[in-house]
Amino acid sequence: MSSEHYALKVNGARHEVRDSWIGESLLYVLRERLGFYGTKGACEQGECGSCTVLMDGEAVCSCLVLAATAQGAEIVTVEGLAPEGELNDVQRAFVDKGAVQCGFCTPGLIVAITHLLDNDPQPSESKIKESISGNICRCTGYGRIFDAVQQAIEVRGVNR
Amino acid sequence: MSTTITATRNILGTSVLRPDGTAKVRGEFHFSSDEFATNMLWGATLRSPHPHARILSIDISAALKINGVSCVLVADDVPGKLTYGLISSDQPVFARDVVRYMGEPVAAVAADHPETCKRALEAIRVEYEVLDPLVDPERCLDQSVPPIHPDGNVFRHQRIVRGDQSIQGEVQVEGTYDIGMQDQAFLGLEAALAIPGHDGRSVELHIATQWLHEDRKQIADCLGLPEDDVQLVLGGVGGAFGAREDISLQVHSCLLALRTGRPVKMQYSREESFFGHVHRHPAKIWMRHHATKDGRIQRIEARMLLDGGAYTSTSPAVLINAITHTQGPYVCENATVDGFAVRTNNPPCGAMRGFGVVQACFAHESQMDKLAVACQLDPVEIRIRNAMSKGDLLITGQPMDSVAPVTRCIQETAAIPMPEAVTSDDPLLLPGGSGRTATSSNIRRGVGWGVSMKNLMYSEGFDDYSTARCTLQDGVAHLKFATSEVGQGFVTLAIQIATSILGVDQVELEQIDTRIGSAGSTSASRQTWMSGGALDGACRMVREMLFEKVGKEHHVDPIRLAIVDTDVVDTMGTLRVPVREASAGVSLSHTFEHHHRPTTDLDENGQGNCHVAFAFVAHRAVVDVDPELGLVKVVQIATAQDVGRVLNPLSAIGQIEGGIAQGLGLAVMEEIVIDNGRVRNPSFTDYLLPTALDAPVVEARFIEEPEPMAPLGAKGIGEPPCISVTPAIVAAIRDAIGKDIDRVPVRPQDICL
Ligand code: FES
Ligand code: FES
């Protein structure tokens, strides 16, 4: 297989990708080459949202992005949302409100909701539902996730 | 995993947070798919493209020549038993002469990169002689149809015959109901890392599974190794719902690791996952209810036919669950039930949340609504009139000796306020959602009911015990068990139990693996009862040891000692010793096995005390339907569930909401579509799952009547939520459009054509 060498900027730091195959997705490279296992894959078809990361401030399915095309972009994964040892408000709310069961959907949802609230700190209920409708959770039935989003919204409102 | 508790000690019944929650929200929790070893290879499986074919030849030479390929394995490379299975060992590790379903494993490869694996699989030449698939379950009962497996085309036939068979009700209602094939669709795909031992024969497998010890037994048999040479460690599990009860990639990954002498990681894609695990049995169920004019059930006749697909898996047990729940949570003295689980060339079916009861419940609840109409009764009234109570006899002759608050479940559900009508034209609130197809003026609202009974634990004489060890040292409780944490929150409960009993500040959960006795499977709503019972027993024994020690040191009769907060306290004196101090420098340890009461087999008439215990739930669904386009929006689910006792309200509501979403999926969207043995929709693009936009408002009430048989007074709560919600939603759709619907999932064409 062809072997490529390039660099990606993930969570503020530059990472070299060596000896990779050009067909590797951003999801694969983040996980298997750079060790960012927080980003999950559950369909690799853009249907489940488990692989959501931020690319230049946009939420994308990393399974649909060719890693080599992400050179130069600012990539943020779930590991980059809060300083080492801390939780951001969405992460905190997920723990507090019981929004985590198996947790496989969780990183993708956390990235998606953090992105939503960063752009709209007071989203309507419909907007919340629509913006996470691309993130499938098979365990929770979403009830506790909605609750967690409300907590994060309230916390942001107070801290503003 | 270690957790420090600062709240009060008796924390059973409170919403203690998950010990793994923080790791999970940070993305630091290790799922089995996150396993990695230096020098590891990737493994992949070659699967049959045909539902039924003879294998004429397999040529692996081209695959072996590909740069980066380490090995290719076929049936002849299996050193031990060539087949495996939970109940009957009839499923080949690799097909040798014949393939019996689309997706059956034929070969496996190990290589340096997933892409190299893919190319190697493409390079394996398999010559097939395609055969006609047997796909009609009804034909399996025809003796003249040639068997597609040496064990025949019927997995199990069981009858239930009870009471007076001649009763003819003044009112009779009947129907035939179809239940489609549902997929568990856990998010965390099958994944494992197999690490060969330095001795060249043993192997350690890190795997997401529901039952480590059962996996180990089947793996060791196929590897031809003693069980001690096979150790399993639970990799983080991304949901299970029954799909991890059977072997998938366990044997293949161990074989590849042992053959190459290198760690091998295997991970299914979503498409492969649809072929790699069993599904919920599709079923055809006919029922006829005989009743008095005032709606009291006198007799039920039923015939159930479950399509088990190509291999046995748990089909015989699923069948027994289905037929023994024919009556639902209602009194019935006379019954004739005939049940069959059969072998076809369709995908194998086995365990999924609800395990046979889902199918039976859709039929009996549809029947209850027909009975209500025939007797001019309300759907609530017909159910209350027939509701079972403790002490009633089931159609198997087994006495109902679980707490059975059926009437309360129904009444408390009925008392939950109805949702407001939708007047806004926000498309996200209407059927069709972001498709923006409906206006509020043309939707119709319907209300429907479903009530169910579900057995807890395993049945028919099986002793599915659980083992747990507690070790108290320097004020820290170390807990060891092999219980699979699949997302349900057993790890949280474990901490609650130890903290409450021992008054410790800190609990350490040791690695979940096979280096302790079996915990049984995380299925059948059984771990709170079984592993909870084992931990409860182990912690209590350790507490006794602690009291002995403190009593001896302070010359106090241990019987006077109790745990108050974090101290050992003399209830009749002044002595007060912190648990940390009392356990300093010692190691008090006990391993406890919890067994439930024995059950028995069914006789030829389906009579016997085959189940351990039961739980009940009622669901009321409110739906909005667009009758022209056949679209449905589930607005609200009201539910009251018999839980015995709530041990963690936050976990409990999570189980209830999650189960309801899965039952909603079966009601209106989820189905594996099969065409002549071929799966047509093995992807999340075509197999539809409930999203945040499909989630109804859930109004839940816990019915708390502690179960005396249960160690913690708590019944299992995992399965009931997904069972009767499905018929409730379908009944609500019928109510909205005034049309009979006798299959799930309900498709747009079932509504509008
Ligand atoms: S893995 Fe990318 S959307 Fe599912
Ligand atoms: S918590 Fe398991 S998929 Fe969401």
Side-chain angles (χ1 to χ4, degrees):
Chain A
M1 281 190 294
S2 61
S3 133
E4 303 292 324
H5 183 168
Y6 53 89
L8 292 179
K9 196 160 175 212
V10 186
N11 300 333
R14 194 184 141 90
H15 294 266
E16 302 291 329
V17 181
R18 289 173 208 282
D19 299 331
S20 78
W21 171 54
I22 192 72
E24 287 170 4
S25 69
L26 180 57
L27 172 65
Y28 180 86
V29 169
L30 284 172
R31 290 173 50 81
E32 306 295 342
R33 295 204 178 271
L34 303 181
F36 291 101
Y37 282 110
T39 305
K40 308 295 174 197
C43 74
E44 306 206 18
Q45 264 187 347
E47 294 288 347
C48 74
S50 316
C51 63
T52 308
V53 299
L54 300 181
M55 230 174 113
D56 288 332
E58 284 308 312
V60 299
C61 293
S62 60
C63 67
L64 297 182
V65 176
L66 270 184
T69 67
Q71 293 175 68
E74 296 274 350
I75 298 160
V76 179
T77 68
V78 69
E79 291 95 338
L81 293 179
E84 181 84 40
E86 290 176 32
L87 301 180
N88 81 359
D89 47 5
V90 179
Q91 290 170 315
R92 180 78 259 155
F94 262 61
V95 175
D96 289 349
K97 293 294 182 181
V100 179
Q101 287 187 30
C102 84
F104 203 86
C105 66
T106 307
L109 272 158
I110 301 255
V111 172
I113 295 166
T114 302
H115 177 252
L116 167 69
L117 299 187
D118 284 351
N119 290 289
D120 179 359
Q122 299 286 323
S124 68
E125 213 182 297
S126 286
K127 179 155 181 201
I128 295 169
K129 291 188 177 175
E130 189 166 33
S131 43
I132 62 169
S133 64
N135 290 78
I136 290 172
C137 173
R138 188 53 157 168
C139 300
T140 65
Y142 307 100
R144 298 307 98 198
I145 292 171
F146 298 148
D147 228 30
V149 177
Q150 288 310 330
Q151 172 174 315
I153 290 171
E154 280 160 34
V155 168
R156 276 191 191 205
V158 172
N159 292 346
R160 241 187 325 169
Chain B
M1 219 181 312
S2 158
T3 296
T4 307
I5 311 287
T6 42
T8 62
R9 284 335 100 174
N10 194 355
I11 53 175
L12 279 175
T14 68
S15 288
V16 171
L17 300 179
R18 299 184 67 95
D20 54 8
T22 305
K24 284 178 174 174
V25 298
R26 280 199 184 124
E28 287 167 1
F29 181 82
H30 264 258
F31 290 93
S32 60
S33 51
D34 303 332
E35 298 286 349
F36 170 86
T38 39
N39 200 30
M40 79 179 188
L41 295 167
W42 290 84
T45 321
L46 181 71
R47 294 174 180 276
S48 163
H50 308 294
H52 196 197
R54 223 182 306 280
I55 297 176
L56 302 178
S57 67
I58 304 180
D59 179 2
I60 61 170
S61 55
L64 281 172
K65 281 189 201 123
I66 293 174
N67 212 348
V69 172
S70 294
C71 89
V72 181
L73 300 178
V74 295
D76 287 339
D77 297 306
V78 178
K81 205 155 122 195
L82 301 178
T83 54
Y84 58 79
L86 275 164
I87 291 179
S88 161
S89 180
D90 66 347
Q91 181 149 5
V93 175
F94 295 113
R96 183 206 289 266
D97 308 315
V98 56
V99 288
R100 295 189 181 85
Y101 72 96
M102 179 188 182
E104 179 162 355
V106 174
V109 303
D112 59 357
H113 191 284
E115 181 62 22
T116 317
C117 288
K118 222 180 265 174
R119 292 174 191 183
L121 295 182
E122 279 162 18
I124 299 173
R125 295 271 155 268
V126 186
E127 219 186 318
Y128 292 103
E129 178 196 336
V130 175
L131 303 171
D132 258 352
L134 174 60
V135 294
D136 176 3
E138 210 61 68
R139 287 193 65 222
C140 299
L141 304 178
D142 179 345
Q143 298 286 342
S144 67
V145 172
I148 57 170
H149 186 281
D151 296 348
N153 292 342
V154 177
F155 294 126
R156 188 166 180 181
H157 171 220
Q158 175 72 50
R159 283 159 60 78
I160 296 176
V161 181
R162 181 166 185 83
D164 183 350
Q165 304 303 303
S166 66
I167 289 174
Q168 294 293 322
E170 280 177 283
V171 179
Q172 295 184 18
V173 292
E174 68 173 281
T176 302
Y177 306 94
D178 282 294
I179 294 92
M181 186 186 287
Q182 189 181 19
D183 188 58
Q184 299 85 348
F186 48 51
L187 267 238
L189 293 160
E190 289 89 345
L193 177 69
I195 305 168
H198 297 299
D199 55 10
R201 52 178 271 147
S202 67
V203 62
E204 183 172 277
L205 183 67
H206 295 248
I207 173 88
T209 179
Q210 289 176 237
W211 189 357
L212 291 164
H213 285 76
E214 174 61 32
D215 278 9
R216 170 161 79 165
K217 190 164 71 173
Q218 295 184 52
I219 297 166
D221 281 352
C222 295
L223 299 180
L225 291 176
E227 282 190 32
D228 279 347
D229 283 347
V230 181
Q231 294 296 342
L232 268 66
V233 179
L234 188 70
V237 186
F241 316 115
R244 299 188 208 268
E245 248 183 69
D246 293 75
I247 294 291
S248 55
L249 43 60
Q250 287 88 329
V251 181
H252 298 155
S253 53
C254 290
L255 280 172
L256 291 170
L258 287 169
R259 177 62 75 93
T260 59
R262 287 169 66 177
V264 172
K265 176 168 174 171
M266 286 187 93
Q267 187 178 326
Y268 287 174
S269 67
R270 180 56 61 184
E271 178 174 351
E272 186 168 20
S273 180
F274 273 98
F275 295 105
H277 63 244
V278 299
H279 313 288
R280 190 188 298 293
H281 287 76
K284 190 177 264 311
I285 300 178
W286 169 82
M287 277 190 190
R288 179 187 287 143
H289 280 56
H290 298 256
T292 59
K293 263 202 291 229
D294 62 352
R296 283 174 215 284
I297 299 171
Q298 295 170 297
R299 177 177 164 225
I300 303 175
E301 298 171 86
R303 178 180 186 268
M304 301 196 185
L305 179 57
L306 273 58
D307 182 353
Y311 295 105
T312 308
S313 178
T314 47
S315 281
V318 173
L319 176 72
I320 289 319
N321 257 26
I323 62 170
T324 57
H325 288 73
T326 299
Q327 69 196 110
Y330 310 112
V331 178
C332 172
E333 283 166 10
N334 309 290
T336 328
V337 186
D338 216 2
F340 304 88
V342 297
R343 188 195 306 271
T344 63
N345 292 117
N346 289 323
C349 290
M352 182 176 172
R353 197 176 196 175
F355 204 80
V357 182
V358 166
Q359 292 89 331
C361 183
F362 177 60
H364 71 62
E365 285 308 272
S366 300
Q367 285 286 100
M368 291 307 281
D369 287 334
K370 284 187 180 163
L371 200 55
V373 171
C375 300
Q376 294 174 319
L377 289 172
D378 184 68
V380 174
E381 180 55 32
I382 191 87
R383 288 172 168 87
I384 288 181
R385 223 167 255 198
N386 288 286
M388 181 183 287
S389 320
K390 192 167 178 169
D392 286 328
L393 289 185
L394 302 176
I395 58 172
T396 52
Q398 174 165 5
M400 171 53 64
D401 49 11
S402 296
V403 168
V406 181
T407 304
R408 251 190 95 191
C409 287
I410 298 171
Q411 285 169 338
E412 296 211 12
T413 302
I416 294 170
M418 285 285 190
E420 308 263 308
V422 175
T423 47
S424 128
D425 266 329
D426 178 352
L428 295 184
L429 300 175
L430 299 173
S434 48
R436 294 175 164 76
T437 48
T439 51
S440 57
S441 57
N442 65 10
I443 64 159
R444 288 193 219 150
R445 177 157 287 193
V447 181
W449 278 83
V451 189
S452 59
M453 162 174 91
K454 172 71 186 50
N455 63 316
L456 308 174
M457 280 73 75
Y458 283 18
S459 305
E460 292 187 281
F462 193 78
D463 180 18
D464 52 325
Y465 67 94
S466 179
T467 318
R469 183 173 70 227
C470 171
T471 306
L472 178 63
Q473 205 170 1
D474 300 322
V476 182
H478 302 260
L479 307 181
K480 174 82 178 178
F481 44 77
T483 310
S484 277
E485 168 61 50
V486 301
Q488 83 279 31
F490 183 74
V491 288
T492 321
L493 178 63
I495 290 165
Q496 291 180 265
I497 292 171
T499 309
S500 301
I501 295 174
L502 292 167
V504 289
D505 271 325
Q506 206 183 332
V507 179
E508 296 265 358
L509 302 182
E510 294 179 17
Q511 176 171 278
I512 300 172
D513 58 28
T514 41
R515 291 181 172 92
I516 184 173
S518 175
S521 181
T522 295
S523 7
S525 305
R526 60 179 287 288
Q527 289 298 16
T528 293
W529 186 309
M530 298 304 299
S531 291
L535 263 182
D536 181 65
C539 292
R540 280 175 196 282
M541 293 305 286
V542 166
R543 188 177 60 186
E544 290 314 306
M545 293 159 88
L546 183 68
F547 289 167
E548 279 294 326
K549 175 175 177 286
V550 172
K552 211 178 271 165
E553 283 167 5
H554 297 272
H555 310 291
V556 178
D557 186 347
I559 210 141
R560 292 168 37 169
L561 298 176
I563 300 280
V564 178
D565 288 336
T566 51
D567 300 329
V568 179
V569 170
D570 179 0
T571 52
M572 298 162 78
T574 54
L575 178 72
R576 197 174 184 108
V577 191
V579 170
R580 181 174 292 276
E581 211 173 281
S583 62
V586 292
S587 171
L588 306 174
S589 186
H590 190 87
T591 303
F592 191 93
E593 253 180 34
H594 183 73
H595 295 255
H596 56 67
R597 65 169 179 179
T599 57
T600 64
D601 283 335
L602 293 177
D603 68 17
E604 60 185 32
N605 287 323
Q607 300 298 294
N609 297 341
C610 70
H611 296 307
V612 181
F614 299 89
F616 303 87
V617 65
H619 290 103
R620 184 193 67 202
V622 176
V623 306
D624 283 342
V625 183
D626 179 337
E628 281 155 16
L629 293 171
L631 301 173
V632 177
K633 165 101 187 161
V634 182
V635 178
Q636 183 211 47
I637 301 293
T639 180
Q641 186 169 328
D642 156 42
V643 297
R645 176 184 171 206
V646 180
L647 299 175
N648 185 318
L650 202 54
S651 297
I653 192 72
Q655 285 298 309
I656 288 176
E657 289 172 338
I660 283 171
Q662 287 187 353
L664 181 155
L666 177 61
V668 294
M669 51 179 72
E670 291 181 39
E671 182 172 17
I672 295 181
V673 179
I674 308 209
D675 178 10
N676 208 26
R678 284 174 192 282
V679 176
R680 289 301 189 196
N681 56 344
S683 74
F684 277 1
T685 310
D686 298 318
Y687 183 89
L688 300 184
L689 292 162
T691 70
L693 283 170
D694 303 303
V697 171
V698 172
E699 290 288 346
R701 305 283 181 270
F702 302 124
I703 306 294
E704 293 195 85
E705 293 183 18
E707 171 58 56
M709 282 192 286
L712 304 165
K715 292 184 176 182
I717 56 170
E719 292 174 289
C722 82
I723 297 172
S724 38
V725 70
T726 305
I729 291 169
V730 178
I733 297 171
R734 292 184 194 116
D735 181 48
I737 62 171
K739 187 178 158 187
D740 210 9
I741 296 174
D742 51 16
R743 64 108 62 200
V744 279
V746 180
R747 302 159 299 188
Q749 63 264 38
D750 301 318
I751 293 173
C752 62
L753 295 185

